[in-house]
Amino acid sequence: MSASHSVHQGNEAPYYYVPADSRHPVRMAVALLFMGVGAATWVNSVGWGKWAVLVGLIGLIFVMFQWFGDAIRESEGGLNSKKIDLSYRWAMSWFIFSEVMFFAGFFGALWYTRTVTTPWLGDLDHRLMLWPDFQAVWPNFGPAGVVEHFQTVGPFWLPTINTALLLSSGVTLTIAHHALREDHRTKTLVWLAATVILGFIFVACQALEYHHAYTELNLRFDSGAYGSLFYMLTGFHGFHVIMGATMLTVIFFRLLRGHFTANHHFGFEGAAWYWHFVDVVWLGLYLFVYWM
């Protein structure tokens, strides 16, 4: 996700560079397999599940470090052309689209559970035949005695503070982008650093919110459909914030090494696209999870 340093000097590669065979995809698949199997067993209270997730996560970080390092060296070595740059843009666009569909699935599950399934299970036939004590309200506790009593998480104050943090980070990142386009490198670094700091403060606030929800509200992953959807939506979003902040941190250090110029900086742009996508997803979460 970067523009070539040689392109900066007008020495653009005249061809479409095809890298040699790579072991990175296979390693990435193995790491993701460990994470997937580990997560599935972990949520089902299997002891070794969390360790499988940890092994997969460490492997994922290791492979990404090597893979993106190779891509950066190819770019800085003058192997990329404008066609490669266009390929990177399309790849990032499709990646973000896949992430949109990922979150759309969870938002769809939230909508379906709340507006379709809950009223349907509360109609007269189901109450007479299946669950006489079921109350068709959202969030619900299932049939009497099935789900422990819990309290929901409202929008005040941590979710609202987090909304302000992410919106502010979108502004600081935009300022950094404009500064880079104007070739003000110091200004770019300052505002990009502010974006990264705001992102990690968001993660810290969300961890504090989880602690409050788990210990004081008794809201757990097994607290019915509400608990599962709450932690899946906010948890995956928090993971994406960590990934986005990590990407921007890498871009920060690349800026320090002079890898980008005012006209060639798709590495910065690609990370910025991802960060703005994360911002938009949070606005949906803030509205449909905390307010509605």
Side-chain angles (χ1 to χ4, degrees):
M1 291 196 323
S2 64
S4 171
H5 185 66
S6 64
V7 173
H8 304 166
Q9 301 174 341
N11 185 25
E12 180 183 314
Y15 51 82
Y16 192 98
Y17 171 69
V18 179
D21 292 341
S22 173
R23 57 186 177 272
H24 298 318
V26 174
R27 289 179 171 181
M28 180 69 76
V30 172
L32 291 174
L33 179 62
F34 268 88
M35 290 185 67
V37 173
T41 53
W42 191 2
V43 298
N44 286 284
S45 302
V46 178
W48 54 266
K50 58 184 178 182
W51 301 111
V53 171
L54 179 61
V55 170
L57 182 60
I58 293 173
L60 178 70
I61 294 172
F62 176 76
V63 174
M64 289 180 64
F65 180 82
Q66 289 195 319
W67 201 343
F68 281 99
D70 287 347
I72 292 169
R73 283 187 288 271
E74 291 164 3
S75 176
E76 296 302 307
L79 298 176
N80 293 350
S81 65
K82 289 183 178 179
K83 292 181 179 180
I84 295 291
D85 183 78
L86 182 62
S87 295
Y88 276 129
R89 292 177 185 274
W90 273 111
M92 194 65 187
S93 299
W94 282 112
F95 171 67
I96 292 177
F97 176 76
S98 72
E99 295 280 52
V100 170
M101 294 296 100
F102 176 84
F103 279 101
F106 287 109
F107 277 110
L110 177 63
W111 169 82
Y112 188 82
T113 303
R114 183 164 57 191
T115 63
V116 178
T117 305
T118 298
W120 179 56
L121 292 175
D123 64 24
L124 183 61
D125 289 340
H126 285 87
R127 293 186 64 181
L128 289 176
M129 297 175 61
L130 294 176
W131 297 333
D133 298 323
F134 182 80
Q135 299 295 320
V137 295
W138 181 261
N140 65 74
F141 302 96
V146 173
V147 178
E148 291 185 16
H149 183 77
F150 63 87
Q151 295 176 272
T152 60
V153 180
F156 300 109
W157 281 100
L158 280 176
T160 300
I161 293 172
N162 268 347
T163 302
L165 288 170
L166 274 192
L167 291 178
S168 299
S169 72
V171 174
T172 57
L173 184 58
T174 301
I175 295 173
H177 189 193
H178 283 285
L180 180 57
R181 293 175 65 181
E182 295 168 0
D183 205 21
H184 296 158
R185 187 166 296 271
T186 301
K187 183 179 178 181
T188 303
L189 288 167
V190 169
W191 287 104
L192 182 58
T195 304
V196 173
I197 292 170
L198 289 171
F200 282 116
I201 292 176
F202 173 95
V203 175
C205 287
Q206 190 168 49
L208 182 62
E209 177 188 88
Y210 275 12
H211 180 266
H212 169 71
Y214 197 85
T215 60
E216 299 181 30
L217 303 182
N218 197 38
L219 179 61
R220 304 167 185 267
F221 193 79
D222 58 357
S223 296
Y226 177 87
S228 298
L229 289 169
F230 173 82
Y231 283 111
M232 291 295 285
L233 277 164
T234 60
F236 271 119
H237 177 267
F239 175 75
H240 282 71
V241 172
I242 294 172
M243 292 297 296
T246 302
M247 291 164 61
L248 292 174
T249 301
V250 173
I251 296 301
F252 178 86
F253 286 107
R254 292 195 63 193
L255 278 165
L256 286 176
R257 299 182 65 180
H259 283 191
F260 303 114
T261 68
N263 297 320
H264 301 281
H265 52 262
F266 178 67
F268 184 104
E269 289 180 333
W273 291 359
Y274 187 83
W275 192 256
H276 290 310
F277 157 74
V278 169
D279 286 354
V280 172
V281 171
W282 176 257
L283 291 177
L285 283 172
Y286 182 61
L287 177 63
F288 292 106
V289 174
Y290 293 100
W291 278 99
M292 299 181 64

